[in-house]
Amino acid sequence: MQINKSDVIWNYAATFLKIAASALLLPFILRMMSAEEVGIWSVFVTVNSFISLLDFGFNPSFTRNITYIFTGVRNLKVRGFATLDEKEAGTLVDYGLLKGVISAMKWFYFRVAAILFLLLATLGTYYIYILLKKYTGNHGDVYLAWSLLCSINTYNLFSLYYDSLLQGKGLVKKSKQIVIVSQLVYIVIAAILIIAGKGLVAIVGAQASSVIIVRWLSHRLFFTAEIKNALHNAVTRSKKEILRAVYPNAVKIGLTTFGGIMVQRSAIVIGSLYLTLEEIASYGITMQLIAVLAGLGGIYTSTYQARIVQLRVMNNKQRIKELYIKGQFILLLTYMAGGVGMLLFGNWLLDLIGSQTHLMPSMILLLALFLSFEQTNLMVAGNILATKNEVPFFKASLISGAGIIIGLLISFHFLKIGLFGMLLIPLIVDFAYQAWKWPLEVVKDLKLRFFDFFNVALYK
């Protein structure tokens, strides 16, 4: 499995477009849509982020096991993995095991997608109904956009196994090229339809086009004639055994994801019930721009994730250490440069395009940047630890998530500190344990020393 600087560059380009697509559309959205519509759009974006909860950690677990298979592992384990030397790694792929994993993924995602559709069509629609009681725009357009959102997200979740196949096989560059094509289509279609006055329907319709293109091209990329022939001739390994091996860690990662989503996203859902749509719009726009920094900052480590899994199998901790340290430098520099840019020029640029919505006040924005940096660093540390096929952090994540929801409710209902509380509560809960615990565990696992950071920065 060869992953190099070219993969990192393509990942930067793809991640920027994927995360920043909404930001690139801001000149059109903010000029053509009211602050109320922007608020509804921010809620839609948040609902999209909650959908990943239904994956419940199976996607990264499936991805990791796909990498094990293409590295040469012949049996999947609940915990840990069989180590191979560098000569053995990647020399023989067990296509029967691969066929069994693909079958297990399809079985799982079909059922999860069905659950998602039911939740969106019932509870989700009721939530939109409650939200629209204070909305003065066209309710019919919002319901149409919501219906499209329900349908495309159901399909996207059902076909999520393609992400595991491409990332697990190490097809980083080509998969990111697919993302770039689909995001360009999304931006162009959305911009044209927004200008035509289609509002929320334009954004969701463009998203549907993007998802369909990604899945079609992903199928063509992974299922080459060679792989299709090998899979056709292979005897499928037991789906139940594969799910039994994947299930424990997947559930732990799912619980971790649940806690993480509560940390990152529950504020806007709870806050929308207490704050004005204009305040929610300001929060939503600000956090979407900060999300661009989070995505770009974590790209280096995420690009090499499959490679790090392979290095674990080969017991090469020194190379993992080098990749982690480089990723940390890139993360820090990205936030420093991007944060200063947002603080100095963010609202000026929004005024330049005639925006009806602005960023949060400077002190609150600074707090939001610090919170996002801490959470991104925590995510990177968790991903490094998970490459050992162990998930030690799932209980702490769930407890933190519950603590944040309770804290937010208290903040809004009793303290009434508004936007400031939406950021301060998650920060306090994180630093009580998780923010320092798991990065420290990575330091211990890789036996990192201060001079390791110095040496990698100067000589690698």
Side-chain angles (χ1 to χ4, degrees), residues 307-316 319-320 323:
R307 176 60 175 160
I308 292 172
V309 172
Q310 187 181 53
L311 291 169
R312 286 284 190 190
V313 175
M314 296 185 293
N315 200 29
N316 188 345
R319 181 58 180 149
I320 297 175
L323 293 173

Side-chain angles (χ1 to χ4, degrees), residues 16 28 53 76 110 139 157 179 188 227 250 255 267 272 316 340 384 394 413 434 436 451:
F16 176 79
F28 304 97
L53 288 174
L76 304 181
F110 176 80
H139 289 201
L157 184 59
V179 171
V188 171
I227 285 184
L255 292 173
S272 66
N316 188 345
V340 169
I384 294 292
F394 75 101
H413 197 68
Q434 293 214 102
W436 57 267
F451 288 106

Side-chain angles (χ1 to χ4, degrees), residues 37-332:
E37 285 182 292
V38 175
I40 295 292
W41 174 55
S42 297
V43 171
F44 277 19
V45 171
T46 303
V47 170
N48 280 338
S49 70
F50 272 106
I51 289 171
S52 62
L53 288 174
L54 283 178
D55 170 67
F56 218 70
F58 275 82
N59 184 259
S61 295
F62 280 134
T63 300
R64 189 168 56 252
N65 283 288
I66 292 292
T67 300
Y68 290 149
I69 293 170
F70 279 101
T71 302
V73 170
R74 301 183 64 85
N75 290 290
L76 304 181
K77 296 183 177 182
V78 172
R79 187 173 183 177
F81 43 79
T83 57
L84 304 171
D85 62 36
E86 295 196 22
K87 292 183 179 179
E88 293 178 298
T91 58
L92 184 63
V93 176
D94 188 332
Y95 283 100
L97 184 57
L98 177 61
K99 191 173 182 178
V101 171
I102 293 173
S103 175
M105 289 192 293
K106 289 181 177 179
W107 181 92
F108 172 76
Y109 283 117
F110 176 80
R111 284 153 179 78
V112 173
I115 294 172
L116 170 65
F117 184 78
L118 289 174
L119 289 173
L120 291 178
T122 54
L123 296 179
T125 301
Y126 180 72
Y127 175 75
I128 296 298
Y129 167 76
I130 296 297
L131 201 60
L132 289 183
K133 287 184 176 181
K134 54 183 177 180
Y135 180 70
T136 60
N138 189 318
H139 289 201
D141 287 345
V142 176
Y143 281 122
L144 176 58
W146 175 252
S147 299
L148 288 172
L149 192 76
C150 293
S151 300
I152 196 59
N153 277 306
T154 298
Y155 171 72
N156 192 34
L157 184 59
F158 167 68
S159 54
L160 192 61
Y161 63 89
Y162 281 112
D163 291 354
S164 294
L165 292 174
L166 297 183
Q167 296 300 314
K169 195 173 185 290
L171 298 172
V172 176
K173 181 170 72 174
K174 291 183 178 179
S175 67
K176 298 311 174 184
Q177 289 170 342
I178 289 174
V179 171
I180 289 173
V181 170
S182 69
Q183 290 303 305
L184 289 174
V185 169
Y186 166 67
I187 293 168
V188 171
I189 292 177
I192 292 173
L193 292 178
I194 290 171
I195 292 173
K198 301 302 180 182
L200 293 170
V201 175
I203 300 174
V204 181
Q207 179 188 344
S209 302
S210 173
V211 169
I212 292 171
I213 288 173
V214 164
R215 296 315 185 203
W216 179 66
L217 292 177
S218 296
H219 180 86
R220 291 176 60 88
L221 174 60
F222 183 84
F223 290 101
T224 61
E226 178 184 355
I227 285 184
K228 285 194 289 187
N229 183 60
L231 290 173
H232 177 74
N233 295 324
V235 177
T236 308
R237 297 278 285 272
S238 171
K239 179 172 59 183
K240 289 184 178 180
E241 290 183 6
I242 291 170
L243 288 171
R244 195 177 296 121
V246 173
Y247 175 79
N249 281 336
V251 170
K252 291 177 182 178
I253 292 176
L255 292 173
T256 301
T257 303
F258 182 73
I261 291 294
M262 284 193 287
V263 168
Q264 297 175 18
R265 302 295 183 180
S266 61
I268 196 170
V269 173
I270 297 173
S272 66
L273 301 176
Y274 291 88
L275 304 176
T276 66
L277 283 174
E278 287 77 7
E279 288 177 303
I280 292 298
S282 178
Y283 176 87
I285 293 299
T286 303
M287 298 310 292
Q288 285 179 48
L289 291 175
I290 292 177
V292 177
L293 297 182
L296 294 176
I299 278 179
Y300 188 88
T301 308
S302 66
T303 300
Y304 284 97
Q305 191 70 15
R307 176 60 175 160
I308 292 172
V309 172
Q310 187 181 53
L311 291 169
R312 286 284 190 190
V313 175
M314 296 185 293
N315 200 29
N316 188 345
K317 281 193 176 183
Q318 179 58 36
R319 181 58 180 149
I320 297 175
K321 181 190 297 187
E322 294 170 4
L323 293 173
Y324 175 71
I325 291 173
K326 288 181 181 179
Q328 290 298 96
F329 278 116
I330 291 172
L331 176 63
L332 181 60

Side-chain angles (χ1 to χ4, degrees), residues 9-21:
I9 292 171
W10 280 106
N11 201 356
Y12 267 110
T15 302
F16 176 79
L17 278 177
K18 188 173 182 179
I19 297 175

Side-chain angles (χ1 to χ4, degrees), residues 287-431:
M287 298 310 292
Q288 285 179 48
L289 291 175
I290 292 177
V292 177
L293 297 182
L296 294 176
I299 278 179
Y300 188 88
T301 308
S302 66
T303 300
Y304 284 97
Q305 191 70 15
R307 176 60 175 160
I308 292 172
V309 172
Q310 187 181 53
L311 291 169
R312 286 284 190 190
V313 175
M314 296 185 293
N315 200 29
N316 188 345
K317 281 193 176 183
Q318 179 58 36
R319 181 58 180 149
I320 297 175
K321 181 190 297 187
E322 294 170 4
L323 293 173
Y324 175 71
I325 291 173
K326 288 181 181 179
Q328 290 298 96
F329 278 116
I330 291 172
L331 176 63
L332 181 60
L333 291 174
T334 300
Y335 267 90
M336 289 177 63
V340 169
M342 285 185 66
L343 287 164
L344 295 179
F345 307 111
N347 279 324
W348 176 77
L349 289 172
L350 291 176
D351 287 334
L352 194 64
I353 63 175
S355 171
Q356 301 177 52
T357 305
H358 289 84
L359 301 180
M360 295 185 293
S362 296
M363 290 305 297
I364 299 180
L365 173 57
L366 189 62
L367 187 64
L369 286 165
F370 183 66
L371 173 64
S372 178
F373 173 79
E374 172 266 312
Q375 290 175 346
T376 304
N377 184 54
L378 177 60
M379 179 195 69
V380 170
N383 288 339
I384 294 292
L385 294 174
T387 60
K388 299 192 294 181
N389 201 28
E390 298 176 3
V391 188
F393 43 80
F394 75 101
K395 290 182 181 178
S397 180
L398 191 61
I399 293 171
S400 293
I404 286 168
I405 285 185
I406 294 171
L408 287 172
L409 289 171
I410 293 173
S411 170
F412 282 118
H413 197 68
F414 297 105
L415 303 180
K416 302 186 186 303
I417 53 178
L419 291 174
F420 183 73
M422 292 173 73
L423 301 163
L424 182 62
I425 296 299
L427 201 59
I428 291 173
V429 174
D430 271 4
F431 270 93

